[in-house]
Amino acid sequence: MRRLNIISYNLKYNRANRELSGLVEQYSADVLCVQECYSDKIPDRINHLKLADKTKFNRLGLAIYFNPKRFSVLQSESFSLKKAFHDRIFSPAHERLLVTKLYDKKIKKEVLIGSFHATPPTSLNYIRRKQIRTAHETLLSLSNKTSPVIMVGDYNYPIFKRGLRVCIEKSGYKLSLSDQPTYYLATLFGIHYDLATSINATIEQVKTLPRGLSDHAPILVQATL
């Protein structure tokens, strides 16, 4: 069994991009997933991590970095999900899921990583649940059914988490919340927007890291494969 450290961070229009190097080093990240990046401005390397893939058509992009000493990239692809009204007005918002299939040289096994960004809270929770279900089905379709699958990102799901958990667990996945909220409304009301869902992997803990230049706090997902 091996520990896997994944950092997920919504960069707020790429504003927090400069913080990534420090986070990767401080928390010994094996994988880094970002949302709301400017794809043409992110580097090919961040410390010991190498860019696996990035979206190319979104106004606000997704990216995944990995440690090449531990992993090799087998496949990577971005996907569109069900569009909300917001997505049709503020297009392009085609790619809300980026999936990278890695081969873990330590455990000699495939691992699928998803960087996910749901439609904003102005849309209905129904739309986000549909996006999450489709994203989970897409990840499983790319796996051999026993591969560890972990999807992290900004789920933009403000309330009624119980319904979300039921929806996720019906598909066989597990929902993991961080130890502290990742987003605050008027500094008073804390929300868990940034989440992790998984199957065939054990999420030991999810930590909310100190907030920086983004309106979201980054999270550290510690999993056992």
Side-chain angles (χ1 to χ4, degrees):
M1 298 176 68
R2 290 284 184 172
R3 170 69 62 83
L4 176 64
N5 288 339
I6 305 173
I7 292 177
S8 177
Y9 198 5
N10 181 317
L11 301 182
K12 179 66 172 177
Y13 303 103
N14 211 59
R15 183 183 301 171
N17 185 50
R18 71 188 74 170
E19 299 174 356
L20 295 177
S21 177
L23 288 170
V24 166
E25 180 178 2
Q26 182 175 355
Y27 296 101
S28 303
D30 300 299
V31 174
L32 169 68
C33 297
V34 297
Q35 306 85 42
E36 289 198 18
C37 68
Y38 291 161
S39 299
D40 58 341
K41 294 183 178 180
I42 59 173
D44 291 332
R45 279 190 173 271
I46 299 177
N47 295 11
H48 61 283
L49 300 187
K50 182 180 179 181
L51 180 66
D53 201 4
K54 60 185 179 181
T55 53
K56 301 169 180 65
F57 303 109
N58 272 22
R59 181 171 55 92
L60 299 171
L62 306 168
I64 296 177
Y65 290 81
F66 71 104
N67 182 354
K69 290 186 177 180
R70 175 171 176 178
F71 301 102
S72 56
V73 176
L74 300 177
Q75 181 182 353
S76 195
E77 189 174 352
S78 59
F79 298 89
S80 61
L81 302 173
K82 183 177 179 62
K83 286 183 171 60
F85 180 73
H86 174 280
D87 300 326
R88 300 183 187 279
I89 296 299
F90 297 101
S91 60
H94 306 301
E95 303 158 303
R96 290 202 171 274
L97 173 67
L98 180 64
V99 178
T100 297
K101 182 188 292 188
L102 300 171
Y103 180 73
D104 191 331
K105 302 170 189 176
K106 290 186 176 181
I107 63 172
K108 302 186 185 306
K109 196 169 188 177
E110 294 178 0
V111 181
L112 277 88
I113 303 294
S115 183
F116 173 74
H117 191 189
T119 194
T122 50
S123 302
L124 298 173
N125 275 346
Y126 163 78
I127 299 293
R128 277 181 289 279
R129 288 197 300 271
K130 179 66 175 176
Q131 290 177 337
I132 293 166
R133 280 197 299 268
T134 303
H136 283 166
E137 290 168 1
T138 300
L139 281 157
L140 277 182
S141 72
L142 297 172
S143 76
N144 59 15
K145 310 309 178 189
T146 62
S147 301
V149 176
I150 301 173
M151 187 172 85
V152 297
D154 179 5
Y155 285 63
N156 269 325
Y157 210 98
I159 55 176
F160 305 122
K161 288 288 194 305
R162 184 176 181 180
L164 175 62
R165 187 181 297 276
V166 170
C167 170
I168 288 172
E169 290 179 351
K170 280 184 178 179
S171 66
Y173 281 77
K174 180 181 178 182
L175 170 65
S176 299
L177 301 180
S178 55
D179 56 352
Q180 297 292 330
T182 65
Y183 189 91
Y184 285 88
L185 295 175
T187 70
L188 297 175
F189 182 55
I191 301 171
H192 288 86
Y193 270 166
D194 305 87
L195 310 173
T197 49
S198 60
I199 192 169
N200 300 328
T202 301
I203 305 298
E204 301 289 351
Q205 60 181 340
V206 182
K207 293 182 179 180
T208 299
L209 304 180
R211 184 172 163 183
L213 296 172
S214 174
D215 53 348
H216 290 249
I219 59 172
L220 173 64
V221 180
Q222 296 182 310
T224 301
L225 306 180

